[in-house]
Amino acid sequence: MTSVKRLFVLLCGFEIIPKTVSTHQIGARFIISVPISAYLLDTDSGWVLFDTGLDEANLRDPAKLDALYLSTGWDPQPVVKPHHELERQLAEIGIGFADISTVILSHLHADHTGHIKHMPQAKFILAQREWDFVRSGEAPSYFFPSDYDLPGLNWQFVSGDTQLMDGLTIIATPGHSPGHQSLVIQLPRTGPVVLAADVGDLMINFTDEILPGGMTDQAEALASIRRINAVVAEHQAMLFLTHDPELIQQIKLAPDYYD
Ligand SMILES: [Zn+2]
C-alpha cells in the first residue's frame, strides 16, 4: 500500500559550471553543463512538489540578472528555455501552480527555490537547520532571499527523518548545505526511488564517494553520500539526482512519468 501514485521528473533548465562545483577539487580544467531538476508527485493527499527549479524571470530582467548572477560571479547564468519553465510543464500534465498542496524543499539554493512565490497556498516543508542558516545572515549569494523570505508563507520546519505519508519519507542528508534533505518514495509499479537532490550532482559522487564541490560540512557531506548509498542498497531503489547530465538523458521526463 502506497499513497504515491506517480512521479514526474521536471527538467527545469541547465547550469554551466566548473566541474569542481560538482566534484571537490577534481576536474578543474573542465566546464560542464548540468540539468536542473524538480519532481512532481501525484499522491492520495494531493500534488506534492520536491524543489521548484529557478525563477526564469530573474534571468530575463537585465537588472536582476546582473544583481543576482553576473555581479556575484555566477557567470555564465543558467539557461531556462520556454519548455523548461515550471508552469508550462505543469500545464502539460494538466495542473497549475494553484493545484500544488505541498512543496518539500531539499535546501534553499536558488536553483531549487525559484517558484515558491507562485504557490502561496501550499505548505512548504524545510529542514529547521536550513531555515536557521539563512536566518543567521551567513548564507552566500546563491541563496536568494527574494525567492523564499516572503510574508504569509505556510512553513513547516522538520528535524531529522520525517515520514509524510505512506511511501513518502524525508531523510536528513546535510553537508552540501546545513539542512539538506532527500526523499525516499515508494511507487506502485516502479518500486522504491531515492531522490537525492544535491547530496551529489553526479553518479560518480556516489560510486566513488567523491565529495560535492559546494559543502558547508565535509564530514556531513561524506556521511550523506554513504547514507544515500546505504538506503539505495537496502531498498534496491532507483537513484535520481537533480544535476546529473548523463542520467537526465536516460530517464523519463514529464509529461511522461513513473508509476
Ligand atoms: Zn545546491
Side-chain angles (χ1 to χ4, degrees):
M1 183 60 194
T2 173
S3 38
V4 183
K5 294 178 284 193
R6 293 186 292 170
L7 162 67
F8 297 84
V9 179
L10 309 164
L11 171 58
C12 299
F14 287 90
E15 296 176 69
I16 301 152
I17 55 175
K19 189 157 188 287
T20 47
V21 171
S22 295
T23 51
H24 182 59
Q25 294 180 340
I26 297 173
R29 292 166 53 230
F30 296 100
I31 298 287
I32 61 174
S33 178
V34 303
I36 302 164
S37 309
Y39 306 90
L40 177 69
L41 305 176
D42 179 10
T43 82
D44 289 339
S45 305
W47 293 98
V48 176
L49 203 54
F50 182 45
D51 288 337
T52 75
L54 59 77
D55 187 357
E56 61 276 358
N58 289 329
L59 300 170
R60 291 172 192 161
D61 176 325
K64 287 181 178 168
L65 172 64
D66 191 55
L68 293 171
Y69 290 95
L70 305 182
S71 69
T72 65
W74 191 337
D75 185 5
Q77 72 271 30
V79 175
V80 180
K81 294 292 188 184
H83 61 281
H84 298 141
E85 292 177 11
L86 189 55
E87 188 170 26
R88 175 160 159 177
Q89 294 196 66
L90 295 180
E92 284 177 5
I93 294 164
I95 64 170
F97 283 131
D99 295 305
I100 305 294
S101 60
T102 304
V103 180
I104 304 164
L105 294 159
S106 62
H107 62 309
L108 291 180
H109 289 169
D111 48 345
H112 301 256
T113 59
H115 294 282
I116 290 172
K117 61 178 78 71
H118 298 123
M119 296 172 277
Q121 80 289 345
K123 177 170 70 181
F124 292 91
I125 301 178
L126 180 73
Q128 182 72 53
R129 278 186 70 186
E130 192 77 357
W131 190 248
D132 293 344
F133 179 65
V134 297
R135 283 303 196 207
S136 73
E138 301 295 311
S141 62
Y142 43 88
F143 288 79
F144 294 177
S146 57
D147 274 356
Y148 55 78
D149 197 358
L150 304 169
L153 291 182
N154 177 14
W155 291 102
Q156 179 185 337
F157 300 115
V158 296
S159 298
D161 298 351
T162 307
Q163 182 170 14
L164 287 189
M165 59 183 84
D166 229 18
L168 176 51
T169 301
I170 297 172
I171 61 170
T173 49
H176 171 68
S177 71
H180 188 282
Q181 50 191 8
S182 304
L183 286 193
V184 182
I185 64 174
Q186 182 78 35
L187 289 166
R189 286 180 357 130
T190 307
V193 182
V194 174
L195 307 177
D198 288 13
V199 170
D201 286 355
L202 312 177
M203 278 299 175
I204 198 170
N205 292 105
F206 297 90
T207 55
D208 294 18
E209 292 189 350
I210 295 171
L211 291 168
M215 286 176 286
T216 49
D217 187 298
Q218 202 157 321
E220 283 186 339
L222 180 59
S224 291
I225 287 172
R226 290 177 170 165
R227 179 162 199 209
I228 292 293
N229 280 338
V231 171
V232 167
E234 178 192 342
H235 297 283
Q236 294 292 298
M238 294 179 72
L239 173 60
F240 287 177
L241 309 177
T242 295
H243 297 301
D244 188 287
E246 294 183 35
L247 179 73
I248 200 71
Q249 299 180 72
Q250 295 161 5
I251 63 179
K252 291 190 276 190
L253 301 179
D256 203 355
Y257 57 82
Y258 292 87
D259 63 5

